[in-house]
Amino acid sequence: MDNVQNELTYKFGLIGKNIDYSFSRGYFAEKFQAENLPHKYVNFDLEHISEIENIFQNSEAIKGLNVTIPYKEAIIPFLDKLNKRAKKIGAVNTIKINKKGTLIGYNTDYYGFKKSLKPYLSNNHKKALILGTGGASKAIAYALKQLKIKFHFVSRAKKENATFVYSELTEEIIKAHQILINCSPVGTYPNVNACPDIPYDAISEHHILYDLIYNPEQTKFLQLGASQNAVTINGLKMLELQAEKSWEIWNS
């Protein structure tokens, strides 16, 4: 950024619900301090997505927003435009506000997930189970398609896009899908003893267990995978990568 831009103070923020724990606020606060930028990053904790309109009425100079659970899909009707990729994915986690005040939706989750998973993949990683069917899972599915990895969704109740409900998961199904991705909030702090209900005994050293949760660092889901000698990855690297991609979009 040049000096003229550095003199301008912009506001950025995170839209979500119960987001005191937010990774993004701390990450960008540190970034702005390290790069000597005068910007602010704040949390917009909304009880309902319709409250988004208050954000723009009461705050000027907002240049960009991130979106987290549970609003990655619900935010879409409030936007003016969707980037092609976000449209394909059907979920938004980054919003750019241009000079005219146009709200443009992007998805950087798929990028963070794909780039953080890729170094761990080997030839046996051909099929994946996506645990959960919310907005985050859509970006994961998009990334897996790009990586040419077949996948099935797992949900608590039968849904159109879900192949399995948890009670149907057998050891054979787990053995046949050597990437298991938790896209549900199950296991997030403070409920650290909770984990997705799957047959963990079928997991082997050939499996990758990826949890989008980063707090706690090692969820029960990942602990149980590690005890079976699986490779385990938490959501921190994905968040860092998607945050940097968001920053790139806001400044493009």
Side-chain angles (χ1 to χ4, degrees), residues 66-67 72-73 76 79 82-96 104-113 134-140 142-143 238 242 245-246 249:
N66 291 123
V67 186
K72 292 185 182 192
E73 294 162 290
I76 291 174
L79 305 176
L82 281 187
N83 158 272
K84 279 182 191 173
R85 203 163 256 143
K87 194 178 279 186
K88 278 185 183 173
I89 292 169
V92 163
N93 77 309
T94 300
I95 301 168
K96 178 178 179 175
I104 309 161
Y106 294 81
N107 191 299
T108 65
D109 278 339
Y110 89 92
Y111 168 83
F113 174 73
S137 71
K138 291 186 166 185
I140 299 319
Y142 183 83
M238 174 181 165
Q242 68 84 9
K245 197 71 172 170
S246 295
I249 288 165

Side-chain angles (χ1 to χ4, degrees), residues 62-64 80-81 95-104 250 252:
I62 294 180
K63 194 177 181 188
D80 300 304
K81 282 184 189 174
I95 301 168
K96 178 178 179 175
I97 296 101
N98 69 15
K99 286 175 184 175
K100 294 177 181 174
T102 307
L103 305 181
I104 309 161
W250 295 332
S252 61

